[in-house]
Structure formats: C-alpha cells, structure tokens
Amino acid sequence: MADYDIIVIGSGPGGYIAAIRAAQLGFKTAIVEREHLAGICSNWGCIPTKALLRSAEILHYGQHAKDYGLTLEGSFKADLEAIVKRSRGIAVRMNNGVQFLMKKNKVDVIWGEAKLTKPGTIAVAPTKKPAMQPQGPVPKGAKGEGTYTADHIIVATGARPRALPGLEPDGKLIWTYFESMVPAKMPKSLLVMGSGAIGIEFASFYRTMGVEVTVVEVLPQVVPVEDAEIGAFARKAFEKQGMKIITSAKVTKVEKGADSVTAHIEDEKGGKQTITADRMISAVGVVGNIENIGLETLGVKTDRGCIVIDDFCRTNVKGVYAIGDVAGPPMLAHKAEHEAVICVEAIKGLHPHPMDKAMIPGCTYCHPQIASVGLTEAKAKAAGYEIKVGRFNFVANGKAVALGEDSGLAKTIFDAKTGKLLGAHLVGPEVTELIQGFVVAMNLETTEEELMHTIFPHPTLSEVMKESVLDAYGKVLNA
Ligand SMILES: Cc1cc2nc3c(=O)[nH]c(=O)nc-3n(C[C@H](O)[C@H](O)[C@H](O)COP(=O)(O)OP(=O)(O)OC[C@H]3O[C@@H](n4cnc5c(N)ncnc54)[C@H](O)[C@@H]3O)c2cc1C
C-alpha cells in the first residue's frame, strides 16, 4: 500500500489548495515544499507586491491631501525600510496561514526538494538549489528526506523569472521580482524591461515613490494582453504621472557600470538609443519549473517549458497530474487554485466542469488599476463576431468624482446577434474589485438585457459597468 493517496509537490496556491481539497475529500495527503509554504504568490508575488503598492497609494494620497481639504503638519515621507518590512511581514503572515491550514486539514508537510523517481514514487532530498531568497521557516513536525509513495502525484512546482540571453538578471544591477521587492535603497532611476502585469506594477510602485521610471516594451502597447483602448488609456495615465514609456522597442544590450546600467534600445524601425539608469528590472515573463523533478524519467510530456495536461490536469502518465504555473498560462494564482480543485475532484470521480480559460479574469494593480475578462475588441472581431461595444468614462460617475479618482474607462463587448457578453475591460479606481461582477455575469451566460435590468447601487463605481452596457445599446444615461 502506498504511503499516501495523494502527494502534492509545491505549496503555492495550486499546491496547497489541492492538498486542502484532497484532505476534505478524505484522501491521505502530503505536500512537499522546498523553500516556503504558500509559494511565490504569498511570499514573492501577489501579496507582498500589493502590500508595497498599498504603501505607494497612501503616499500618493498623503501628497494630495490638500485636494481633500486636509493639511498635513510636519513631513509625510516614505520610509523604505519600514515599507519593505511591512510587506515582508505580510508574506510571513500568509506563510503561517498556510502552515495552520495544513495542520488543520491533517496534511503532512514534507520539507525538501522532490523528484519523481518511478510511477507513484518520489524521492525528497534537502533543498540543493541555491535558494534565491532565504528559506521560509521549516513547519513544525515536517517530515524530511526520504522516499515516499502515493497513488496520485500532483506537480505544482510553479515558475521562476524568465531570463533573456545577454540580459540575465544579476540580482545587483539587473533585478528580478525578488530583488525589486526588497530594495535596500531607493534607486533614483529605473528601467523596466517588459510591461506585463509584473513590470507595470513595479513601474507604478517605484514611480509613485518618486523614482524616474522608463518602461521598454517590445509590443506596440503597454499591458499587451489587454484591450488596445485600455492599454492606450493606461499609457496616457502613466505618462501623466511622469513615467517614460517606449513601445515597439527592445533592449538589445546592457552595459554595467559600478552602480548603474546603460541599456541599448532598438525600435522596430531600427532607431537606436541608450538609457542609463541606476537599476533595471527584467520583467519579461516567467518559465515553468520543469527541470530536475524527474519528468523525463517517467516520460511526462512538456511543451515550451510547461507540463502538458488535459481538461482534468492529467498528464500523459497515469497517476501524474500538473496544476498552476507549471501547467501553462495564464500564470495566475486564481487559475492555479481553480485547477487544483478540478484536479482533485476529478481524481475523486466527482466529474468537475473543465475550466473555461476565457472566463479567467486578469488584474493589474498599478495606478490606475486594470482588470478584464473575456475577449478584447480585436480578438472578438478576429473570432468573427459582429459586435456591439459600449464605453463609459469614470469622469461621469458621481462616486469616482467624490473619491477624487475620476479617471477611468469601462468597456463592454457584446455579440450583436445574441446579446452575449463577450468581454469586459476596465481601467480606473478599484476596478480589480469591480471585474468580478462581469466574471459572474459571463459565467451565467448573461445577455445585455439581463445586465440592463440589474440594479446597481448608487453611488458606487460599479455604475460605470451598467452604463457601459447601456452605451453598447444606445441607452446610456449619464453621458
Ligand atoms: C511579482 C509577482 C506578482 C504577482 N501578482 C499576481 C497577482 O496579483 N495575481 C495573480 O493571480 N497572480 C500573480 N502572480 C502570479 C502568481 O504568483 C502565480 O501564478 C502563482 O504563485 C502560481 O501558483 P503555483 O501554485 O502554480 O506555484 P508557486 O506559487 O510558484 O509555488 C510553487 C512552489 O513549489 C515549490 N517547489 C518547486 N519545485 C519544488 C520541488 N522540486 N520540490 C518541492 N517544492 C518545490 C516552490 O518552492 C514554490 O513554493 C504574481 C507573480 C509575481 C512574481
């Protein structure tokens, strides 16, 4: 008999949620972690970045206190050490939370680096990999080194920063997200290579903290996965804040000085320029952790750095599953969690619904925030839909005006034939909280009629959502 019904490798949002759901369903479960419980998300990703961005947001309001009729006496200054300390403290709290959940659900924690050695078997060795960051605390009562067997093994090993050849991060002058999150001192100037969610969130944080920020993006728009109009709106807002943005251009070479970098930048027309900055952040995506975990030994199929899975997270090898970042894009914590539940429920034979990737929302917590779900206008057209598009500007929303945050845009896209909501795209205050309304609507296969009949509370930012729907059908009220 195997030691466990299910062993999960990696304790990020994919892994630890899989372990909890497995335990809930009565499986004898263990989770293996080599660095820190709760994975990248809680320790070096989603949560500590939001803590930093919150400090930046409060600094911004402090600097604009007069706009709200408030006078601050004495100075209102950023204390970088305290800001970073707060962010790290929050990461530790999340880490402890997962430790508590493992204990509560009677999931055994095995501390070390796991490798598949044969079907149903893993070997756990002490972490060899030079940890990019100090290891988290070893959970009390954790098992260690050894060989463990299970009927089902779920690989949830996550991802790490992508490095471009010749532009590799060195942790000193060229940072990944790890170093960007714990600066010992504020650089005066910063070059951010890549304007996806991670790059733009750091660009936003550092700009608000007063750093001269330049963003270089190889594609024609910032936040390239977003609708072009939202990208253009966000770009204007960032430029107004003093960010320099260069699109359709790439960093081709970096020369390192004693305490600065000089980046050579080439645009699509062959135009060249150099920019010198104190530090550079490489934010060009992440790659799955597929190496040294025994995938080749068992013949588990991979494709472009990720494990290939079916609708129920099964790999091509019986008894081996993969979820989260290591199982491919979009590399988001909520996608990892959702896959975790699908994977375990399918093992139990509960026939969960496969995930519809079109329904996965994306959020970027820059200032202004960006959030979306479904098809962009360009993708809806490319898919052959005849569409109706509605737009509503936050400037005409009473709550946004009262908040002093009236810059933003809500855009909705409908199938003109059926009224089906195909996509919703938001940029503006608190839109990362608003988007869920559209996500639920899309999951319920809502039409324009139902949205127009829904009563939105007044005064709320959510009213922009309804107005954009009304606008798509020529019925907008406050514009
Ligand atoms: C700066 C930043 C900000 C982000 N912000 C957001 C956000 O706002 N919203 C969002 O949805 N997503 C965000 N993400 C992405 C999110 O963090 C990931 O999608 C999520 O963490 C993926 O979860 P996971 O469980 O697949 O893997 P991870 O969280 O990466 O966890 C994998 C775990 O596996 C462990 N591991 C790896 N190999 C082994 C092994 N051989 N043995 C034992 N353990 C192993 C690792 O140590 C790690 O703890 C952000 C990412 C970054 C870097």
Side-chain angles (χ1 to χ4, degrees):
M1 213 175 105
D3 300 329
Y4 294 96
D5 298 318
I6 295 184
I7 289 179
V8 186
I9 306 176
S11 72
Y16 91 79
I17 291 292
I20 291 175
R21 190 70 191 118
Q24 285 173 344
L25 292 173
F27 288 120
K28 190 177 178 208
T29 308
I31 194 163
V32 196
E33 175 53 56
R34 67 180 180 188
E35 268 176 51
H36 34 228
L37 280 182
I40 288 294
C41 172
S42 292
N43 291 280
W44 296 100
C46 324
I47 305 298
T49 47
K50 301 330 166 253
L52 294 177
L53 285 159
R54 177 70 169 154
S55 293
E57 187 181 21
I58 291 173
L59 176 67
H60 168 83
Y61 285 125
Q63 287 165 341
H64 292 82
K66 268 200 182 147
D67 298 350
Y68 297 88
L70 303 168
T71 310
L72 282 169
E73 291 188 0
S75 62
F76 187 77
K77 282 194 301 204
D79 175 346
L80 181 63
E81 200 183 326
I83 289 172
V84 171
K85 193 170 163 205
R86 175 176 181 272
S87 168
R88 298 319 307 153
I90 287 166
V92 170
R93 202 168 135 186
M94 305 306 294
N95 185 301
N96 289 339
V98 170
Q99 200 165 320
F100 164 80
L101 288 169
M102 293 303 101
K103 197 166 167 210
K104 182 181 164 209
N105 287 282
K106 301 191 173 49
V107 173
D108 281 355
V109 176
I110 304 171
W111 200 251
E113 199 150 328
K115 199 174 195 167
L116 292 151
T117 50
K118 55 184 176 182
T121 307
I122 59 163
V124 177
T127 304
K128 272 195 304 304
K129 158 184 171 302
M132 285 194 223
Q133 299 298 328
Q135 279 193 333
V138 181
K140 253 196 212 153
K143 301 185 175 194
E145 226 178 311
T147 299
Y148 299 88
T149 57
D151 296 334
H152 308 276
I153 297 174
I154 302 175
V155 181
T157 49
R160 62 182 184 280
R162 179 189 299 280
L164 296 182
L167 305 170
E168 291 89 354
D170 61 5
K172 294 188 178 88
L173 295 168
I174 306 179
W175 292 347
T176 64
Y177 49 77
F178 289 110
E179 297 82 24
S180 309
M181 228 173 288
V182 288
K185 92 176 197 246
M186 211 30 109
K188 280 208 180 73
S189 54
L190 180 71
L191 188 108
V192 180
M193 177 170 66
S195 76
I198 294 176
I200 276 298
E201 286 186 7
F202 281 119
S204 200
F205 168 72
Y206 280 100
R207 181 64 206 131
T208 312
M209 301 303 291
V211 176
E212 263 176 52
V213 173
T214 303
V215 177
V216 181
E217 169 58 54
V218 72
L219 292 168
Q221 74 168 68
V222 284
V223 281
V225 298
E226 300 295 343
D227 186 272
E229 220 172 325
I230 299 294
F233 192 103
R235 178 182 187 145
K236 259 194 205 152
F238 298 147
E239 284 175 338
K240 205 168 150 200
Q241 293 160 17
M243 233 185 252
K244 186 172 175 200
I245 294 184
I246 306 169
T247 46
S248 301
K250 59 183 175 193
V251 178
T252 54
K253 190 170 107 179
V254 172
E255 287 169 78
K256 293 184 192 172
D259 198 23
S260 67
V261 289
T262 298
H264 292 247
I265 296 160
E266 193 173 326
D267 66 32
E268 58 182 358
K269 292 182 190 129
K272 291 182 183 167
Q273 61 176 308
T274 55
I275 292 183
T276 299
D278 287 349
R279 297 291 179 269
M280 175 166 132
I281 295 179
S282 170
V284 289
V286 295
V287 286
N289 291 324
I290 57 167
E291 301 83 2
N292 307 319
I293 50 173
L295 297 180
E296 314 77 24
T297 316
L298 267 70
V300 176
K301 252 194 215 156
T302 59
D303 180 33
R304 278 165 287 170
C306 295
I307 299 175
V308 178
I309 56 167
D310 69 8
D311 281 351
F312 300 102
C313 309
R314 296 177 292 217
T315 69
N316 61 311
V317 175
K318 194 165 182 289
V320 180
Y321 311 77
I323 57 174
D325 283 5
V326 77
M331 293 184 174
L332 295 168
H334 41 282
K335 176 259 191 185
E337 292 179 7
H338 202 74
E339 276 179 340
V341 173
I342 290 174
C343 178
V344 175
E345 291 190 352
I347 292 173
K348 185 74 180 175
L350 296 182
H351 308 293
H353 289 291
M355 177 156 56
D356 181 351
K357 285 197 172 176
M359 302 283 182
I360 303 175
C363 293
T364 307
Y365 300 76
C366 44
H367 182 92
Q369 296 181 356
I370 299 169
S372 62
V373 62
L375 298 178
T376 60
E377 185 174 344
K379 284 199 173 143
K381 282 181 181 157
Y385 286 105
E386 191 190 318
I387 55 171
K388 279 192 182 288
V389 180
R391 296 175 182 81
F392 192 77
N393 211 299
F394 279 64
V395 79
N397 173 275
K399 179 72 180 290
V401 175
L403 290 177
E405 292 283 351
D406 63 356
S407 170
L409 175 70
K411 175 172 176 181
T412 42
I413 299 162
F414 291 89
D415 178 354
K417 284 199 187 120
T418 63
K420 183 181 172 195
L421 178 63
L422 298 173
H425 307 273
L426 305 169
V427 54
E430 300 304 335
V431 298
T432 56
E433 298 292 338
L434 296 185
I435 194 68
Q436 194 55 17
F438 281 133
V439 179
V440 173
M442 279 181 73
N443 266 282
L444 297 177
E445 298 182 356
T446 309
T447 63
E448 89 290 6
E449 277 294 324
E450 288 156 331
L451 282 166
M452 286 193 276
H453 279 117
T454 304
I455 300 169
F456 286 69
H458 177 78
T460 60
L461 297 170
S462 73
E463 288 169 287
V464 301
M465 298 162 69
K466 179 162 175 174
E467 290 277 19
S468 81
V469 176
L470 291 172
D471 184 57
Y473 288 86
K475 297 179 183 178
V476 70
L477 297 166
N478 283 288

